[in-house]
């Protein structure tokens, strides 16, 4: 019986030491601080949302404002603002390259931005409606001119002056025309007469005539005239 009681007592957990108690205390304090921070963050989000709702409401009631640019916000704040704007029935966009510099712009539905305006904000430029209208008109004008040119067909370019008038002091007014009428075929090409190039005799007939002329020269006789 004593042995059984001793084995039971030895198997029981020992009371926590001072170090274990300190660890648990610190864990409880850390959990309490975390909970407090979460509550504070939640409260900050609620207050931020109320402030954004007030600014969006003032923006809607102001008939002179068609858009509003907010200061740079973090990701959570931008998300809250986008949600408030959507509930209010407005349009919102985020612009900016770096996350710390990104900001939100809101627009009234009837004044929703065009693609050109959005591209301007994405490039970090201010939107100028007057310059945009001038650019649009120039683009339309260029397009109309291209369409008219395509309907007219290819453009024929004519010289503004005659080259003969330009060089008349060198060649004279009638020199080129007269020279063209005076052109004649050259009778010779190298050392071979042109007439020989038009010989219709066969090779055998030509060779026989050459042999005959050679025999006559060797005999000292006169060559008969060739027809």
């Amino acid at each position: 019986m004593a042995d059984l009681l001793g084995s039971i007592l030895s198997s029981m957990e020992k009371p926590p030491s001072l170090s274990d108690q300190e660890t648990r205390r610190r864990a409880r304090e850390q959990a309490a601080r975390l909970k407090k921070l979460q509550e504070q963050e939640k409260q900050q989000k609620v207050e931020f949302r109320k402030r954004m709702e007030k600014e969006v409401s003032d923006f809607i009631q102001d008939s002179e404002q068609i858009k509003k640019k907010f200061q740079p916000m973090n990701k959570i704040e931008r998300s809250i603002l986008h949600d408030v704007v959507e509930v209010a029935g407005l349009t919102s966009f985020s612009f900016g390259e770096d996350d710390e510099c990104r900001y939100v712009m809101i627009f009234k539905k009837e004044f929703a931005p065009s693609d050109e305006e959005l591209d301007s904000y994405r490039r970090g430029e201010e939107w100028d409606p007057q310059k945009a209208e001038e650019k649009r008109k120039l683009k339309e004008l260029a397009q109309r001119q291209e369409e008219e040119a395509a309907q007219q067909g290819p453009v024929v370019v004519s010289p503004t002056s005659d080259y003969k008038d330009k060089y008349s002091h060198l060649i004279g007014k009638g020199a080129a025309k007269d020279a063209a009428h005076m052109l004649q075929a050259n009778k010779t090409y190298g050392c071979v007469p042109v007439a020989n190039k038009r010989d219709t005799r066969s090779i055998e007939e030509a060779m026989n005539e050459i042999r005959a002329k050679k025999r006559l020269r060797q005999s000292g006789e006169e060559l008969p005239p060739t027809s």
Side-chain angles (χ1 to χ4, degrees):
M1 190 67 179
D3 293 338
L4 179 61
L5 181 60
S7 62
I8 293 174
L9 291 174
S10 62
S11 63
M12 293 177 62
E13 293 184 1
K14 296 180 181 180
S17 62
L18 182 62
S19 60
D20 293 337
Q21 292 178 355
E22 181 68 17
T23 301
R24 292 176 183 177
R25 185 184 65 80
R26 291 180 180 178
R28 287 194 299 269
E29 291 178 354
Q30 184 176 2
R33 286 195 299 269
L34 180 60
K35 184 178 180 180
K36 186 177 181 180
L37 290 175
Q38 290 175 345
E39 292 177 352
Q40 290 177 353
E41 183 179 358
K42 184 178 179 180
Q43 184 63 27
Q44 289 175 356
K45 290 180 180 179
V46 172
E47 294 177 355
F48 178 78
R49 185 180 184 91
K50 289 182 179 179
R51 189 167 70 252
M52 291 299 100
E53 289 175 348
K54 176 68 167 56
E55 293 191 24
V56 171
S57 177
D58 294 340
F59 168 73
I60 295 174
Q61 295 176 9
D62 189 350
S63 59
E64 296 182 356
Q65 278 190 307
I66 62 175
K67 60 185 177 181
K68 179 178 176 63
K69 179 180 178 181
F70 289 82
Q71 295 296 323
M73 304 175 182
N74 58 44
K75 187 175 182 179
I76 296 177
E77 292 174 340
R78 293 197 306 271
S79 177
I80 294 174
L81 179 55
H82 284 305
D83 185 63
V84 172
V85 171
E86 184 178 0
V87 173
L90 305 178
T91 304
S92 62
F93 297 91
S94 293
F95 303 102
E97 296 296 334
D98 299 331
D99 187 67
E100 297 179 355
C101 299
R102 285 185 72 81
Y103 62 92
V104 177
M105 287 190 68
I106 64 176
F107 303 82
K108 293 180 179 178
K109 285 287 187 179
E110 59 271 26
F111 300 103
S114 62
D115 293 338
E116 292 81 2
E117 184 174 357
L118 292 176
D119 291 339
S120 178
Y121 294 137
R122 292 189 181 102
R123 294 192 300 268
E125 302 173 357
E126 291 295 331
W127 172 249
D128 190 338
Q130 183 175 359
K131 290 184 179 180
E133 181 65 19
E134 294 176 356
K135 185 177 180 180
R136 185 187 63 81
K137 290 181 179 179
L138 291 175
K139 185 177 181 180
E140 291 180 354
L141 178 60
Q143 186 176 357
R144 286 199 303 268
Q145 291 177 348
E146 291 180 359
E147 293 175 354
E148 293 175 357
Q151 293 176 357
Q152 294 176 357
V155 179
V156 179
V157 180
S158 301
T160 56
S161 62
D162 191 349
Y163 78 96
K164 290 185 293 184
D165 295 336
K166 184 176 181 180
Y167 297 104
S168 61
H169 64 287
L170 297 176
I171 63 175
K173 293 185 178 181
K177 184 176 180 180
D178 296 340
H181 288 291
M182 293 173 60
L183 288 177
Q184 297 180 358
N186 192 356
K187 295 296 183 179
T188 61
Y189 178 78
C191 299
V192 181
V194 176
N196 289 357
K197 295 179 180 295
R198 300 176 183 174
D199 197 347
T200 59
R201 295 175 300 170
S202 65
I203 295 177
E204 185 177 356
E205 292 174 348
M207 293 299 295
N208 291 335
E209 184 176 350
I210 292 173
R211 293 191 188 98
K213 290 180 180 180
K214 186 176 180 181
R215 287 195 297 270
L216 289 175
R217 282 199 300 271
Q218 290 175 353
S219 60
E221 299 179 0
E222 294 184 356
L223 296 175
T226 59
S227 58

